Amino acid sequence: MEVPILKQGGYLIATIQAALSDADLIKLQDALVEQVGKYRSKGVIIDVTALDVMDSFATRTLRSIAHMIKLRGAETVICGIQPEVAFAMVQLGLTLEGISTALDLEEGLALLNKRTREREAARGR
Amino acid sequence: MAKKEESRIPPDAEQNLPSESIGELLRQLVSHLRQNRTQLRQEWARRITQAKLLTAMSQDEIFAEATTIYDNYVEALESGTFEALQGYARNLSERIIPRGVETQEVIGIVLLLRDVLARSLFAKYQHDFALLNRILDAYEPAANSIANTVAVGFVQERERTITQQQEAIRELSTPVLQVRERLLILPIIGVIDPQRARQLTEQLLRGIRTNRAKVVVIDITGVAAMDSNVANHLVQTVEASRLLGATVIVTGLSPEIAQTLVTIGVDLTKMNTVGDLQGGIEEAEKLLGYKVILVSDTTVQA
Amino acid sequence: MHYSTSGLESARRHVGDEVRVVIESDSDIVLAREHGRLIGKKLGFSATDLTLIATAISEVARNILVFAKNGEIVIREINEHGRTGIQIMAKDNGPGIPDIALAMQEGYSTGKGLGMGLPGSRRLMDEFQVISSVADGTIVEMKKWVNKNG
């Protein structure tokens, strides 16, 4: 199942809509890393609200995506992790250290706005 | 003479008599208990009071319950099914457990009823021991099942109540409080075991989601002791909250706990810690963009 | 959740009260954990426990795929000493694990940078054991009990 990527202003929004196989995740990674350059996006939001499991592979892939996007000059926010999923992740020993997280899409957008403003202010100096 | 002959028939042969099957004997028994309903339940209620059972209940209450149990009891004897009695036992338990009625009292009153009924059977059939024996043979197993049903029903209800209360206490012991929009406080008091740590984390995560919290202050001033397990749970709680997009500030680490943590080598440097709860809330407000301004004295007095 | 049930029915073979899922590709991992959820839900596990079970299945199923290429996951209800629980067996005929103690160590990994798999899943479940030989492959057995201490 392919993950739709929506271009909204300077941001890309990827909304995961169902449980993903490893191959789907890798496809998402390729698509995001490519499009972030193509559209010169400043930020990427990955909405994982629909994911009922985040295992080590999914977490590692999301982490890689965030790092690659950083190398492409944009910010990533992962939003919508469910309480049960967060609980399972920390039990498993998985974290998303160094990656921004937000409660939901709305919060994710607010966070990205704040981040990009800060970045622009820093560059302006 | 014929009667005497009959009483010498060995027990085995007795049970083969078609006219006196167990069902027939129970029918006789039931009709006896129905005929003497008023007198027997009065006697039972009197014995209950005399034995100082169900002291939490008034005489009228005891008599009313005794009547219902009596009728259910006779019905169970007649039908051989215990559902109705079981249902009533559970219902009764539900009502009397909060009033402090103990298990032995419930067992006590059921055994008393058994005794009252058995005595009345003795009185009725004392002229014919053989028949009395057969009646008792039929009565005993049924009466035992009934006693068992009532006692088990009570104990189960009690256990259910206890589990419920434990749950309620556990919920109470980890209140997630919203002090401001998007700011939650979780004061932890007492001992943290793995089960409680889990429950606490689950509750906090749900709280973050429902209150859309951005900052959480976990105050551990009331935590008695901290070892590496508890510290790890704390770290996990902080990490899980962050996955939901909330920042956690930990406050109230006592000098002892701070020393312990450093000594056992738990790394809490990644955790956001502030000395006390007040400082924690101030820090949280700053993170949320609040500015707390002291209103001048004159305004307060006015 | 958001998955189609048609795939579930076809790939599933019932033996008594158990479900077997053949693990050959990464989409089978998704299938296996969805079965774990379904059975776990029937047994009365809480939402959090269902997620822990699904995550543990995901980890052991991926272990099969990475180390043995194929194998199977067997999920069943178990009853012991008046308790009800779920048992998950992950079996493969792969190369086996030469040193189980080493494999159970945090951060140890021979595959593609995983290393969380076995020790991680052990923390998610109540009981966990690995039987492995280089000749016969690996069996991972995990159990979780319903409502352990409320």
Side-chain angles (χ1 to χ4, degrees):
Chain A
M1 162 159 252
E2 208 136 314
V3 178
I5 299 173
L6 184 78
K7 184 179 163 296
Q8 171 147 1
Y11 303 146
L12 293 179
I13 301 171
T15 309
I16 297 176
Q17 287 168 329
L20 291 184
S21 70
D22 299 0
D24 297 329
L25 268 167
I26 297 295
K27 255 188 250 163
L28 174 67
Q29 173 179 312
D30 294 346
L32 280 176
V33 175
E34 196 227 289
Q35 292 185 24
V36 82
K38 186 167 144 197
Y39 298 117
R40 311 190 68 226
S41 307
K42 290 181 197 141
V44 172
I45 295 181
I46 304 173
D47 185 352
V48 298
T49 308
L51 280 190
D52 66 337
V53 167
M54 286 259 272
D55 61 4
S56 53
F57 184 84
T59 308
R60 203 158 46 91
T61 311
L62 287 179
R63 215 184 289 147
S64 308
I65 293 177
H67 290 159
M68 290 173 194
I69 285 169
K70 182 108 199 157
L71 293 176
R72 304 274 275 155
E75 295 278 332
T76 304
V77 173
I78 291 169
C79 73
I81 297 178
Q82 298 296 319
E84 295 86 30
V85 174
F87 186 79
M89 284 173 74
V90 297
Q91 292 280 302
L92 201 56
L94 302 170
T95 58
L96 288 171
E97 225 167 281
I99 296 162
S100 301
T101 47
L103 191 69
D104 53 20
L105 191 56
E106 188 190 333
E107 287 296 311
L109 280 168
L111 187 60
L112 263 191
N113 284 334
K114 195 177 149 211
R115 282 285 143 77
T116 42
R117 264 202 314 273
E118 284 168 3
R119 244 174 109 155
E120 273 156 20
R123 275 181 193 160
R125 265 172 221 167
Chain B
M1 274 336 257
K3 217 170 195 175
K4 221 175 178 187
E5 280 296 318
E6 196 191 314
S7 64
R8 277 202 215 112
I9 296 173
D12 285 353
E14 277 175 23
Q15 281 169 7
N16 292 335
L17 288 176
S19 60
E20 285 187 352
S21 65
I22 289 180
E24 173 58 34
L25 290 168
L26 280 176
R27 262 193 294 282
Q28 256 191 62
L29 177 69
V30 165
S31 87
H32 167 70
L33 298 182
R34 288 237 163 88
Q35 271 164 26
N36 299 283
R37 177 172 179 261
T38 308
Q39 181 234 322
L40 286 173
R41 72 200 152 113
Q42 267 166 0
E43 168 65 6
W44 184 32
R46 190 187 66 75
R47 294 274 307 272
I48 290 173
T49 317
Q50 191 187 34
K52 295 199 165 57
L53 294 170
L54 304 183
T55 46
M57 297 164 77
S58 73
Q59 290 292 349
D60 287 350
E61 281 177 314
I62 290 177
F63 190 70
E65 298 291 0
T67 301
T68 321
I69 300 176
Y70 187 94
D71 291 344
N72 275 300
Y73 193 101
V74 175
E75 214 176 287
L77 275 178
E78 187 177 33
S79 63
T81 59
F82 303 113
E83 279 85 16
L85 184 69
Q86 211 165 26
Y88 178 73
R90 210 168 287 146
N91 173 287
L92 173 71
S93 308
E94 214 172 291
R95 279 180 285 124
I96 62 179
I97 286 169
R99 302 177 61 171
V101 174
E102 296 291 333
T103 313
Q104 74 262 20
E105 291 185 87
V106 171
I107 294 173
I109 64 164
V110 179
L111 291 179
L112 272 183
L113 177 59
R114 224 184 88 137
D115 187 55
V116 168
L117 300 188
R119 276 169 199 261
S120 109
L121 293 176
F122 272 119
K124 182 174 160 73
Y125 296 105
Q126 59 184 337
H127 60 279
D128 186 346
F129 265 112
L131 183 58
L132 175 63
N133 266 328
R134 292 196 296 279
I135 289 268
L136 287 179
D137 279 345
Y139 172 65
E140 285 267 353
N144 286 344
S145 304
I146 291 171
N148 203 26
T149 303
V150 174
V152 168
F154 183 84
V155 170
Q156 277 175 349
E157 187 56 38
R158 220 178 127 93
E159 273 170 7
R160 206 181 59 82
T161 312
I162 291 170
T163 315
Q164 251 176 13
Q165 285 170 343
Q166 277 175 341
E167 221 135 271
I169 290 170
R170 245 183 263 139
E171 297 257 320
L172 277 178
S173 64
T174 51
V176 179
L177 312 165
Q178 178 167 12
V179 282
R180 259 183 215 294
E181 210 170 300
R182 324 216 67 179
L183 169 57
L184 295 181
I185 293 187
L186 176 67
I188 307 177
I189 295 163
V191 179
I192 304 178
D193 55 25
Q195 195 196 338
R196 183 155 176 237
R198 171 181 169 156
Q199 195 231 349
L200 199 136
T201 308
E202 282 187 66
Q203 223 177 312
L204 178 62
L205 294 178
R206 275 198 300 269
I208 290 173
R209 191 147 187 96
T210 37
N211 296 296
R212 301 180 59 78
K214 283 200 76 140
V215 184
V216 177
V217 178
I218 300 181
D219 181 56
I220 59 166
T221 312
V223 172
M226 169 102 46
D227 57 15
S228 57
N229 277 331
V230 177
N232 283 330
H233 284 308
L234 193 61
V235 171
Q236 285 187 350
T237 309
V238 171
E239 279 171 354
S241 305
R242 207 190 74 78
L243 289 174
L244 265 67
T247 307
V248 178
I249 297 167
V250 179
T251 64
L253 276 152
S254 69
E256 295 79 24
I257 288 181
Q259 285 188 11
T260 314
L261 290 179
V262 173
T263 312
I264 59 180
V266 176
D267 182 16
L268 296 184
T269 48
K270 274 180 251 154
M271 235 156 59
N272 199 345
T273 52
V274 174
D276 58 11
L277 182 56
Q278 189 189 340
I281 294 175
E282 282 165 13
E283 175 75 22
E285 284 167 338
K286 216 184 293 168
L287 284 175
L288 286 168
Y290 286 110
K291 221 180 228 167
V292 180
I293 300 167
L294 188 70
V295 181
S296 71
D297 287 353
T298 48
T299 328
V300 175
Q301 279 159 10
Chain C
M1 287 268 136
H2 308 263
Y3 49 80
S4 73
T5 46
S6 57
L8 290 181
E9 293 310 320
S10 59
R12 146 181 187 169
R13 282 190 289 140
H14 272 286
V15 181
D17 251 359
E18 65 179 41
V19 173
R20 288 166 183 270
V21 181
V22 175
I23 304 292
E24 286 169 338
S25 78
D26 59 346
S27 57
D28 298 327
I29 298 176
V30 178
L31 203 62
R33 67 189 190 213
E34 280 161 5
H35 277 302
R37 255 183 198 281
L38 284 178
I39 293 178
K41 196 167 187 178
K42 243 188 275 169
L43 298 179
F45 281 102
S46 71
T48 303
D49 277 339
L50 290 176
T51 305
L52 296 182
I53 291 166
T55 310
I57 292 176
S58 209
E59 294 298 324
V60 294
R62 180 163 292 100
N63 248 25
I64 291 178
L65 213 57
V66 171
F67 294 104
K69 305 285 179 261
N70 59 63
E72 67 173 358
I73 300 274
V74 183
I75 306 164
R76 65 161 78 102
E77 173 185 347
I78 43 168
N79 291 287
E80 257 176 52
H81 314 296
R83 303 183 293 179
T84 300
I86 192 167
Q87 180 198 46
I88 294 134
M89 307 259 267
K91 304 178 189 173
D92 68 58
N93 299 310
I97 304 171
D99 187 342
I100 294 175
L102 187 62
M104 289 307 293
Q105 262 173 35
E106 293 293 322
Y108 174 80
S109 165
T110 56
K112 301 165 186 173
L114 295 168
M116 282 299 176
L118 293 185
S121 340
R122 175 163 65 180
R123 280 196 297 272
L124 302 180
M125 303 295 283
D126 292 334
E127 287 174 38
F128 189 96
Q129 62 169 329
V130 184
I131 306 155
S132 183
S133 75
V134 176
D136 302 323
T138 306
I139 298 175
V140 178
E141 186 200 22
M142 321 186 278
K143 291 178 188 169
K144 195 171 192 71
W145 302 104
V146 177
N147 211 9
K148 206 181 106 195
N149 305 318

